[in-house]
């Protein structure tokens, strides 16, 4: 979104196109550092979900990744509790926009600099269904630790 000028509308169009092609899209949502510091995370995520998932017929056919913009490639990560609470908010919002049962079946991953050192704590959280791994996937031993982690 940040580097290619993506908007909620373009994310929605790409998501619908991927679904039509039989693909499973991973829809990333997340807030900037400024939005986080000014306590706008929930407002930002609500808008991203409402507009980005518009006209999706079967929400269970997508994956959502919570990826705070301030954590991408920075080595910074939300605390496990922050990530869990934010993903719980995402799940609650999806439940309100679609249906609560669908939201419980939906896979929601954390993608903010998850690595071999923090995956155990993050994956121990009830709401986190997996990780969207970036830089750690380039280090074979670290990636193996993450992939082989058993929740």
């Amino acid at each position: 979104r940040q580097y290619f000028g993506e908007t909620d509308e373009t994310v929605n169009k790409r998501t619908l196109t991927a679904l039509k092609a039989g693909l499973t899209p991973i829809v990333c949502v997340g807030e900037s550092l400024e939005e986080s510091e000014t306590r706008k995370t929930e407002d930002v995520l609500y808008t991203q979900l409402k507009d980005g998932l518009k006209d999706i017929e079967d929400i269970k056919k997508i994956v959502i990744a919570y990826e705070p913009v301030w954590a991408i490639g920075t080595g910074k990560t939300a605390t496990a509790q922050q990530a869990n609470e934010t993903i719980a908010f995402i799940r609650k919002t999806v439940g309100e926009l679609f249906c609560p049962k669908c939201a419980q079946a939906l896979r929601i991953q954390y993608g903010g600099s998850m690595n071999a050192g923090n995956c155990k704590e993050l994956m121990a959280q009830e709401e986190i269904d997996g990780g969207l791994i970036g830089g750690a996937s380039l280090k074979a031993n670290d990636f193996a630790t993450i992939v082989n982690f058993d929740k």
Side-chain angles (χ1 to χ4, degrees):
R1 288 179 185 234
Q2 179 180 350
Y3 297 121
F4 296 104
E6 294 285 344
T7 65
D8 296 331
E9 182 181 344
T10 60
V11 167
N12 179 253
K13 287 180 181 179
R14 291 175 192 273
T15 301
L16 290 169
T17 299
L19 287 167
K20 282 183 186 175
L23 300 172
T24 301
I26 299 174
V27 178
C28 297
V29 297
E31 78 284 9
S32 69
L33 182 59
E34 179 184 344
E35 291 163 338
S36 176
E37 289 176 343
T38 57
R39 302 184 187 273
K40 294 181 181 173
T41 298
E42 290 185 358
D43 292 339
V44 170
L45 294 178
Y46 180 83
T47 300
Q48 289 176 348
L49 293 166
K50 180 178 67 71
D51 297 343
L53 302 178
K54 182 180 168 191
D55 299 326
I56 304 283
E57 291 180 18
D58 186 353
I59 194 66
K60 294 178 290 186
K61 290 188 176 183
I62 71 163
V63 173
I64 294 177
Y66 169 54
E67 192 163 24
V69 176
W70 52 267
I72 300 171
T74 65
K76 295 179 182 179
T77 187
T79 67
Q81 182 180 355
Q82 287 172 321
N84 192 62
E85 288 172 359
T86 304
I87 290 175
F89 171 79
I90 292 168
R91 196 173 307 280
K92 177 180 169 264
T93 301
V94 170
E96 292 168 358
L97 294 171
F98 294 89
C99 75
K101 188 176 179 181
C102 301
Q104 290 307 312
L106 182 65
R107 178 174 296 274
I108 304 177
Q109 302 176 329
Y110 178 72
S113 293
M114 185 183 281
N115 57 50
N118 64 22
C119 74
K120 182 177 180 180
E121 183 180 16
L122 286 163
M123 291 301 296
Q125 302 302 307
E126 182 179 338
E127 294 291 340
I128 299 175
D129 297 322
L132 184 65
I133 312 305
S137 69
L138 302 175
K139 301 171 188 167
N141 290 336
D142 289 356
F143 191 54
T145 298
I146 297 166
V147 169
N148 292 314
F149 178 76
D150 186 17
K151 189 172 184 175

